[in-house]
């Protein structure tokens, strides 16, 4: 079987590479935002950690923080401005619940996501994913996201990796 693509690479997509039947604890995963491959370095994940962290993300998407009541604190809805404020810690978050800004980080899925920083900002029924590589001078990428679609595509990618990993575990005992 070839790679499985979930979502659309031009906006947001996850590519799950074929399972390694010999070394099933690792798996190639690629993440695309606005057509850019943000996993240009090592795309190998440790499958148990990947399943755990993506599973947590899927659960969190059920109740992703709605920033609408805090729009004045954030200074508006511009996802580029919000990314910069949260990323450089210049946001005056004293009016926010203590845990709030930590919940805005998105795609913290282990080694493949160490090379970039991403956030998911939701205002009511609208949401935006922002993503920037850590490399100096990297462009900030922003894409509107439908949270239901995002949750569905991550669930499908998670399921493919989980089924293959369970089959691998069953083979090795």
């Amino acid at each position: 079987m070839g790679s499985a693509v979930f979502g659309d690479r031009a906006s947001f997509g996850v590519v799950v590479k074929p399972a390694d039947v010999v070394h099933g604890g690792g798996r190639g995963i690629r993440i695309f935002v606005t057509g850019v491959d943000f996993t240009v370095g090592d795309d190998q994940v440790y499958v148990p950690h990947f399943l755990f962290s993506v599973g947590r993300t899927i659960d969190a998407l059920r109740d992703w923080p709605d920033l609408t009541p805090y729009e004045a604190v954030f200074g508006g809805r511009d996802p580029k401005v919000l990314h910069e404020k949260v990323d450089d810690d210049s946001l005056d978050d004293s009016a926010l619940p203590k845990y709030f800004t930590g919940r805005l980080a998105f795609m913290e899925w282990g080694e493949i996501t160490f090379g970039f920083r991403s956030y998911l900002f939701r205002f009511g029924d609208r949401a935006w994913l922002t993503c920037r590589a850590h490399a100096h001078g990297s462009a900030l990428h922003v894409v509107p996201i439908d949270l239901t679609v995002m949750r569905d595509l991550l669930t499908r990618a998670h399921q493919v990796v989980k089924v293959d990993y369970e089959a691998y575990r069953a083979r090795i005992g």
Side-chain angles (χ1 to χ4, degrees), residues 11-134:
S11 56
F12 176 77
V14 175
V15 177
V16 177
K17 291 186 171 181
D20 183 336
V21 295
V22 177
H23 304 289
R27 187 80 180 247
I29 306 286
R30 293 239 176 244
I31 300 167
F32 290 83
V33 177
T34 66
V36 176
D37 181 355
F38 276 88
T39 47
V40 293
D42 185 4
D43 69 355
Q44 292 296 304
V45 299
Y46 176 59
V47 172
H49 180 265
F50 178 80
L51 290 173
F52 173 77
S53 57
V54 172
R56 286 185 54 177
T57 299
I58 292 165
D59 290 343
L61 285 170
R62 287 188 186 116
D63 187 29
W64 200 263
D66 183 355
L67 304 179
T68 303
Y70 306 100
E71 189 171 342
V73 174
F74 283 97
R77 294 183 177 204
D78 183 337
K80 290 181 179 181
V81 172
L82 297 176
H83 181 103
E84 300 298 348
K85 284 183 176 183
V86 174
D87 205 37
D88 70 10
D89 206 24
S90 66
L91 178 67
D92 177 14
D93 61 0
S94 59
L96 299 173
K98 296 284 183 227
Y99 68 90
F100 210 64
T101 54
R103 284 206 52 208
L104 301 176
F106 194 69
M107 290 191 289
E108 294 184 330
W109 301 337
E111 296 85 356
I112 63 167
T113 60
F114 287 170
F116 62 89
R117 187 75 165 147
S118 66
Y119 299 103
L120 186 60
F121 300 105
R122 174 182 162 225
F123 289 91
D125 293 338
R126 300 195 62 204
W128 295 267
L129 173 66
T130 65
C131 193
R132 172 184 280 146
H134 289 309

Side-chain angles (χ1 to χ4, degrees), residues 21-22 167-173:
V21 295
V22 177
Y168 163 76
R169 296 289 302 162
R171 279 193 314 276
I172 67 167

